Amino acid sequence: MTDLKGRDLLEPSDFSEAELSSIFDLADEIIADPGAYTAKGKGKLLAALFFEPSTRTRLSFESAMLRLGGEVVGFSEAGSSSAAKGESIADTIRTVACYADLIVMRHPKEGSALVGAATSDVPVINAGDGGHHHPTQTLTDMLTIRRRKGKLDGLKIGLCGDLKFGRTVHSLIRAMRSYEGTEFCLISPEELRAPGFVIRDILSSSARYTETANMEEVLPQLDVLYMTRVQKERFFNEEDYIRLKDTYILTPGRMEKANSGMIVMHPLPRVNEISTEVDADPRAVYFEQAKNGMYARMALIMKLLGL
Ligand code: NCD
């Protein structure tokens, strides 16, 4: 059964492999014939509550709802909501659930989406809760991997950069660990290694993993290289950020060491970690990934609203 109507999406393991596949199948169908979906969401209202900055996640959700023929309300900064007056997340979400059919929320506090979902009468989608999880980026990432590599199993995935605070990394690992033959290469400086809860996720699955600080050493073996930005906003002091921010920079020279079928992914925004010269390499799929994000979110909205 893959009936997702009325469900929340707070972290990737809220959905089974079959349920995830049903979202990717629908996204593929939407990509093949977007015109067939323009009235599916008519009469439905999405609330997009962004207490933290966003370009792709917010605009792709809004575009997704509008392209389904639905409507969108919301805010793009906490300062313009009653959070600025001291209202709790629980009260804000309980209120918005009176107006909308579906709530998407991003908040700097880990666990905030769970708190919101507990008081909501309508489905809540976590669009990023601090340095914890970002499951709809994972839908975007997995749809891109599936479309590019034709499968989700048996892949060697390198995750590079800020594995400590990078919520997209935490969510991608949680989802991909259960596919047969998955192998993770965790590439980071010592101070930005993946946290214990992520390592325990891998250890409780059949996936294998290695940790290294050396990108070049593992590059030739990878099927997927997932680059990430060092998460400046989660650092306690700026000196550490400045010291670590340029640890890894993917250049055309480094791409020569990678195999010809490897894809380069990035949730974006990019700062310095991928040189813009790499953008022309056919293996660079990060803007395609951003576009897939809208289709993955159209499919998710349809599933949660039972459209
Ligand atoms: C990511 C995020 O917000 O965690 N961005 C996104 O949603 N595409 C990655 C990041 O900000 O580095």
Side-chain angles (χ1 to χ4, degrees):
M1 268 302 285
T2 60
D3 186 7
L4 293 171
K5 187 175 176 188
R7 299 259 294 271
D8 299 314
L9 176 58
L10 306 179
E11 47 100 347
S13 46
D14 287 342
F15 293 173
S16 68
E17 265 182 45
E19 288 166 343
L20 290 171
S21 291
S22 76
I23 294 173
F24 305 141
D25 291 345
L26 178 57
D28 283 339
E29 287 165 24
I30 298 171
I31 291 170
D33 186 11
Y37 296 84
T38 54
K40 295 279 184 196
K42 204 165 177 319
K44 297 293 181 189
L45 185 63
L46 170 83
L49 313 183
F50 281 74
F51 298 87
E52 221 187 32
S54 171
T55 299
R56 272 149 294 271
T57 306
R58 184 171 67 85
L59 294 179
S60 67
F61 259 117
E62 294 192 7
S63 305
M65 193 57 177
L66 295 172
R67 284 182 182 277
L68 288 170
E71 310 269 352
V72 182
V73 292
F75 50 81
S76 54
E77 39 183 308
S80 63
S81 76
S82 280
K85 299 178 187 171
E87 185 171 54
S88 68
I89 296 168
D91 284 359
T92 301
I93 300 302
R94 189 169 181 174
T95 304
V96 175
C98 301
Y99 312 144
D101 300 296
L102 180 63
I103 296 175
V104 176
M105 62 174 285
R106 169 175 288 189
H107 194 282
K109 275 210 181 100
E110 289 78 8
S112 52
L114 181 62
V115 171
T119 63
S120 177
D121 288 337
V122 302
V124 170
I125 300 171
N126 178 11
D129 60 330
H132 188 218
H133 277 291
H134 189 351
T136 68
Q137 181 64 45
T138 300
L139 298 182
T140 303
D141 299 341
M142 291 172 74
L143 177 64
T144 304
I145 295 172
R146 207 178 86 146
R147 288 178 67 81
R148 277 287 182 148
K149 307 294 292 180
K151 61 176 189 175
L152 287 166
D153 53 4
L155 294 172
K156 188 157 183 174
I157 304 169
L159 299 121
C160 178
D162 188 346
L163 309 188
K164 181 177 181 185
F165 297 116
R167 57 193 175 194
T168 67
V169 166
H170 306 163
S171 287
L172 187 58
I173 289 175
R174 181 162 293 180
M176 292 297 300
R177 67 184 169 155
S178 56
Y179 289 81
E180 202 177 329
T182 296
E183 206 177 324
F184 300 111
C185 269
L186 308 180
I187 311 161
S188 75
E190 178 66 28
E191 289 149 286
L192 297 179
R193 281 170 64 187
F197 80 91
V198 173
I199 300 297
R200 284 191 294 277
D201 270 354
I202 303 175
L203 291 174
S204 67
S205 73
S206 61
R208 286 182 294 154
Y209 81 105
T210 52
E211 288 184 285
T212 179
N214 188 337
M215 179 210 265
E216 292 194 20
E217 167 190 291
V218 294
L219 207 46
Q221 313 155 20
L222 302 177
D223 300 306
V224 175
L225 173 61
Y226 193 93
M227 295 295 294
T228 62
R229 168 181 76 89
V230 175
Q231 306 279 298
K232 182 179 184 185
E233 64 277 33
R234 316 235 184 266
F235 276 69
F236 291 111
N237 79 68
E238 198 170 351
E239 272 166 44
D240 287 343
Y241 169 70
I242 289 169
R243 187 166 44 78
L244 293 166
K245 72 184 175 67
D246 292 327
T247 312
Y248 303 104
I249 301 180
L250 188 64
T251 58
R254 296 212 162 98
M255 284 299 286
E256 277 174 29
K257 300 195 170 69
N259 80 52
S260 59
M262 185 192 83
I263 56 171
V264 183
M265 303 180 71
H266 193 307
L268 303 177
R270 132 177 82 184
V271 185
N272 269 336
E273 55 282 353
I274 303 179
S275 136
T276 53
E277 294 160 71
V278 174
D279 298 359
D281 190 309
R283 294 170 289 181
V285 303
Y286 26 92
F287 288 106
E288 178 181 317
Q289 199 180 336
K291 187 165 186 183
N292 286 338
M294 181 180 73
Y295 296 116
R297 289 173 175 112
M298 286 173 81
L300 176 66
I301 291 169
M302 285 184 60
K303 292 282 182 186
L304 298 189
L305 292 178
L307 303 175

